[in-house]
Amino acid sequence: MREWLGQYKYRGNERYALLLGLMLDRAYLTLKEEKQSVFLTQKSSIIHYFKNKKDIQYGSWSADLLVPVPVSDSRLMERGFNQAERLADVLSRRRKVPQLPLLIRTHHTGKQSFKSRAERLTDMKHAFAENPAVTAQFADWLKREAPLNHSVRIIIVDDIYTTGSTIRACAEIIQQMGSDYGYTVEVYSLTWARS
């Protein structure tokens, strides 16, 4: 996995995007299955009222939106692509879940793989912000797709999970964005690997 990620992320071998994206898709299906199981267990008192399986599936768990972790401008220039965005593209096409770049990176944080946990946590404190280029698009999407009486399920997509500091920093902003529009946001994360 280390070799594949190195080829993809650091050596610019973009052919790995589809392979890694398909692996991430399997992780999405596992997440969906786990959440569906919890949903059905919690709703078991209601399910006996449904007349057929199709009605139960209608209430099934699925993501509403994918948000890739953004890279800094200097990292984008260096690599030529955002690896998390490419993985999210594969997942979006396969599962018909829209993707929206809700976040921007406010400053370059350097390679996280060389830092301690404490350094990573400090680096990520103010590393992300709402993407002003898609704020209006997000508001329109919420009005069109998300009923006010349900929470919105957003999945943050990244290539690797190490300390969780990146995911936590992104999740805080996404939850605040949803709250600003009167929505409760359930944030999940999908990463291709865990370090």
Side-chain angles (χ1 to χ4, degrees), residues 59-76:
S60 71
W61 189 96
S62 66
D64 296 311
L65 187 66
L66 303 173
V67 176
V69 170
V71 295
S72 67
D73 290 340
S74 60
R75 189 70 70 220
L76 190 58

Side-chain angles (χ1 to χ4, degrees), residues 79-92:
R79 289 191 189 135
F81 67 102
N82 175 345
Q83 71 281 356
E85 186 175 38
R86 297 284 170 87
L87 294 175
D89 284 342
V90 174
L91 192 56
S92 178

